[in-house]
Amino acid sequence: VYRLFFHLLSKYPGPLLVKVTDLYSVYYNYIGDIYIDALRCHERYKPSDATAKLYFPLRTLVRYGPSKLINNSAAGYSNIYSYGKNIGKGREYDTLAKDPILHRSILNTTDKKEHGRKRKVIGQGFTETALRGYKSIIYYFVKRYLMMRVTVPREDFKNSNYLSFDIIANVVFSYSLDLLSRPDNRFIVYTIDNIMYCVGVLL
């Protein structure tokens, strides 16, 4: 009753089941269709123009769990993730840490001060100067990828995944996985896919 009528998020629209349990989102994560269902929810629970004018956030926010909202606007993304916003990560991110106290990456760090310190270090690799320095690496792998599309067009989706990982490995670790031409290390892609699948269900 509390989650349905008195919870802080009770005014936001969404499927009835999500208001009382997280099992709804767990199910769609499990079958791999959460992005489809999220879009469907935004389309189904889109408010009327009159309601949206009265309370603008309802236009882009849908309740997707007892304590979760999902957003589908660029403005909403900025309000959540921009530096200095008074929004923290939930306790669910503790499940991604081997040791919630000692071992945290920038992804699962929930403390704002600690996250800011790590973000400052990583941010050096995303300055305009740094990004321009990656141009030749990206160009090299994109050129190889385009040449492969001509010879094996049916493998286009898999190859685009390999392209992304080849670029990331070279930019971040200065190491070539060479996934586009050699199958030796391609297990890395599938391992990360499986990990992210588990993460989706846990969160």
Side-chain angles (χ1 to χ4, degrees):
V1 174
Y2 169 76
R3 289 180 172 182
L4 284 173
F5 301 105
F6 303 107
H7 193 279
L8 289 173
L9 303 183
S10 61
K11 63 178 175 289
Y12 292 95
L16 179 64
L17 191 59
V18 307
K19 300 179 180 182
V20 295
T21 178
D22 281 314
L23 292 177
Y24 181 93
S25 60
V26 168
Y27 168 75
Y28 280 103
N29 262 307
Y30 181 75
I31 65 174
D33 283 349
I34 191 167
Y35 63 99
I36 297 175
D37 185 65
L39 177 61
R40 184 165 54 235
C41 286
H42 277 294
E43 292 175 345
R44 179 177 180 182
Y45 296 101
K46 183 178 181 180
S48 64
D49 290 339
T51 304
K53 288 179 181 179
L54 181 65
Y55 194 73
F56 178 74
L58 285 177
R59 183 186 293 273
T60 60
L61 295 173
V62 170
R63 194 174 181 184
Y64 209 68
S67 301
K68 296 178 182 177
L69 295 174
I70 54 175
N71 163 71
N72 71 342
S73 74
Y77 181 89
S78 177
N79 289 335
I80 294 170
Y81 292 105
S82 294
Y83 183 76
K85 297 299 181 181
N86 189 29
I87 297 177
K89 292 183 176 180
R91 290 176 299 175
E92 294 89 345
Y93 282 88
D94 291 339
T95 62
L96 305 182
K98 181 179 180 181
D99 184 325
I101 298 177
L102 299 176
H103 301 101
R104 284 186 178 275
S105 67
I106 191 170
L107 174 64
N108 56 37
T109 298
T110 54
D111 180 80
K112 280 186 169 291
K113 187 175 181 180
E114 179 66 11
H115 187 274
R117 184 185 68 80
K118 294 181 177 181
R119 181 172 176 169
K120 186 176 181 180
V121 173
I122 293 177
Q124 297 176 42
F126 292 93
T127 63
E128 184 176 349
T129 302
L131 292 175
R132 290 181 184 278
Y134 310 144
K135 184 177 179 180
S136 60
I137 296 174
I138 296 172
Y139 177 79
Y140 169 75
F141 283 104
V142 169
K143 184 178 180 181
R144 287 183 61 188
Y145 168 69
L146 293 175
M147 291 175 64
M148 291 185 69
R149 285 192 63 181
V150 177
T151 56
V152 282
R154 292 185 178 182
E155 297 293 316
D156 187 44
F157 175 75
K158 290 182 180 179
N159 287 336
S160 62
N161 221 354
Y162 301 149
L163 167 68
S164 300
F165 277 87
D166 274 343
I167 292 174
I168 292 170
N170 274 269
V171 168
V172 178
F173 304 110
S174 297
Y175 179 80
S176 179
L177 293 174
D178 206 15
L179 301 181
L180 281 171
S181 57
R182 294 173 53 196
D184 304 32
N185 294 321
R186 289 180 179 175
F187 72 91
I188 295 174
V189 176
Y190 302 107
T191 300
I192 293 178
D193 280 346
N194 289 332
I195 291 173
M196 295 310 297
Y197 171 77
C198 294
V199 167
V201 173
L202 289 172
L203 292 183

